[in-house]
C-alpha cells in the first residue's frame, strides 16, 4: 500500500511570505504528526492531529499552524516566513496516536 | 519532558564490521522506534520495539524497558548502512509525542 506522501518535495520562499505543506497519510491511518528538522536543533515536534483534532502542539510560535481534514490528510502552514524556518519538514502517520509511526519523504523548505 | 540520549554520536567502521548503537531514555515508555535516515532525508522504519528483542536480517534490536535503554545491532556492515540512526520514544506520562534522540552518524568505509 502507498506510503506517506508529502508535497511539495522542495520549496523556496522569500522572507515574509507564507507557505502551506501537505501530507497524505497511509490509507486507514488517522493520526498525523509534523516535525521540523534543522542541523542545529535536530528533530522537533510541531503538532499532532487525530480525527481532525489537534492533540498536541510543540513549542513553536503561532506562525506555525496546521489542520487535518475528514479524510485524514493534513496541512501545515507557516506565515511570515523567517530565515530560521529553513528546514526539512517531516510528516508521520500512524493508525492511532501512540502507535508505530511512518514518515514521508519530507518537504525541504528554503527561505531566502 | 522525556530525555533521549544516543551514543556514540559518530561511528566510523570498515565494511564488514559489527556495531552497537545505544539509546537511553529518562522515563517509562510505551513506544520506542529505531529509524535510519537516508541521504534524501526520509526516515526509514527499522524497528518498533517498546520492549524485548527483534531481528530483521543483519539488524537486531533489544529494549530493556525496566532499565530504560535500547540497543541496535548492525552486523557485517555494508556501505549502504551509512547514515544517521535515530531512536525515538513516546513517554507513558505527559504529552504523547514521539521524542527523538540526537542520532548516531554511522559511516561505513569500503
Amino acid at each position: 500500500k502507498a506510503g506517506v506522501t508529502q508535497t511539495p518535495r522542495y520549496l523556496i520562499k522569500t522572507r515574509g511570505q507564507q507557505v502551506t505543506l501537505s501530507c497524505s497519510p497511509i490509507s486507514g491511518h488517522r493520526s498525523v504528526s509534523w516535525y521540523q528538522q534543522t542541523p542545529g536543533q535536530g528533530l522537533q515536534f510541531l503538532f499532532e492531529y487525530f480525527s481532525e483534532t489537534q492533540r498536541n502542539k510543540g513549542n513553536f510560535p503561532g506562525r506555525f499552524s496546521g489542520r487535518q481534514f475528514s479524510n485524514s490528510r493534513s496541512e501545515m502552514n507557516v506565515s511570515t516566513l523567517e530565515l530560521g524556518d529553513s528546514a526539512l519538514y517531516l510528516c508521520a502517520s500512524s493508525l492511532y496516536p501512540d502507535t508505530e509511526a511512518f514518515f514521508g519523504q519530507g518537504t525541504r523548505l528554503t527561505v531566502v | 519532558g522525556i530525555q533521549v540520549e544516543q551514543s556514540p554520536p559518530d561511528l566510523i567502521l570498515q565494511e564488514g564490521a559489527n556495531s552497537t548503537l545505544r539509546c537511553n531514555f529518562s522515563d517509562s515508555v510505551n513506544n520506542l522506534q529505531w529509524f535510519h535516515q537516508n541521504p534524501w532525508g526520509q526516515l526509514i522504519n527499522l524497528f518498533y520495539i517498546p520492549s524485548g528483542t527483534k531481528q530483521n536480517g543483519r539488524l537486531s534490536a533489544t529494549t530493556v524497558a525496566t532499565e530504560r535503554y535500547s540497543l541496535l545491532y548492525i552486523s557485517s556492515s555494508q556501505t549502504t548502512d551509512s547514515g544517521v540512526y535515530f531512536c525515538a520514544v513516546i513517554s507513558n506520562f505527559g504529552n504523547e509525542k514521539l521524542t527523538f534522540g540526537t542520532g548516531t552518524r554511522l559511516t561505513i568505509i569500503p
Side-chain angles (χ1 to χ4, degrees), chain A:
Chain A
K1 65 185 170 184
V4 182
T5 303
Q6 290 189 246
T7 56
R9 293 288 312 281
Y10 303 93
L11 207 49
I12 300 176
K13 288 286 188 178
T14 303
R15 224 171 4 167
Q17 288 186 312
Q18 75 165 15
V19 67
T20 299
L21 312 182
S22 178
C23 173
S24 293
I26 293 170
S27 178
H29 283 197
R30 295 169 58 192
S31 178
V32 173
S33 300
W34 289 89
Y35 294 80
Q36 181 197 65
Q37 186 177 27
T38 59
Q41 298 297 318
L43 277 148
Q44 292 190 289
F45 170 77
L46 279 157
F47 21 66
E48 179 190 22
Y49 290 89
F50 175 65
S51 294
E52 301 178 68
T53 301
Q54 186 179 89
R55 294 185 72 249
N56 279 309
K57 190 177 194 304
N59 189 23
F60 278 81
R63 300 184 296 107
F64 291 81
S65 63
R67 58 179 175 169
Q68 186 180 33
F69 302 96
S70 58
N71 61 357
S72 294
R73 190 178 70 86
S74 177
E75 289 181 348
M76 67 162 281
N77 183 277
V78 188
S79 62
T80 319
L81 284 165
E82 301 177 359
L83 296 179
D85 297 332
S86 295
L88 178 66
Y89 290 88
L90 291 164
C91 166
S93 92
S94 54
L95 197 57
Y96 297 104
D98 199 26
T99 59
E100 187 176 7
F102 297 85
F103 282 80
Q105 294 177 297
T107 294
R108 195 168 294 277
L109 171 66
T110 302
V111 183
V112 297

Side-chain angles (χ1 to χ4, degrees), chain B residues 27-48:
Chain B
D27 213 338
S28 300
V29 299
N30 54 24
N31 179 340
L32 188 146
Q33 293 186 241
W34 283 98
F35 297 93
H36 176 209
Q37 189 163 40
N38 68 21
W40 298 272
Q42 186 171 11
L43 290 169
I44 307 299
N45 287 45
L46 297 177
F47 293 102
Y48 172 75

Side-chain angles (χ1 to χ4, degrees), chain B:
Chain B
I2 192 167
Q3 303 299 310
V4 184
E5 295 180 356
Q6 290 187 243
S7 59
D10 292 281
L11 191 56
I12 301 174
L13 296 171
Q14 207 76 35
E15 196 169 24
N18 301 329
S19 57
T20 301
L21 282 57
R22 187 177 180 102
C23 172
N24 292 335
F25 41 95
S26 60
D27 213 338
S28 300
V29 299
N30 54 24
N31 179 340
L32 188 146
Q33 293 186 241
W34 283 98
F35 297 93
H36 176 209
Q37 189 163 40
N38 68 21
W40 298 272
Q42 186 171 11
L43 290 169
I44 307 299
N45 287 45
L46 297 177
F47 293 102
Y48 172 75
I49 187 167
S51 64
T53 297
K54 290 186 177 180
Q55 179 153 9
N56 183 4
R58 296 182 297 104
L59 274 61
S60 64
T62 294
T63 298
V64 184
T66 53
E67 297 188 22
R68 299 181 184 171
Y69 73 88
S70 183
L71 301 174
L72 176 68
Y73 305 98
I74 304 174
S75 64
S76 305
S77 298
Q78 301 174 359
T79 55
T80 52
D81 295 330
S82 294
V84 183
Y85 290 79
F86 288 101
C87 166
V89 303
I90 294 181
S91 170
N92 276 338
F93 310 102
N95 284 337
E96 296 169 355
K97 59 179 174 68
L98 205 55
T99 300
F100 283 81
T102 51
T104 292
R105 181 174 297 278
L106 176 64
T107 304
I108 304 299
I109 301 170

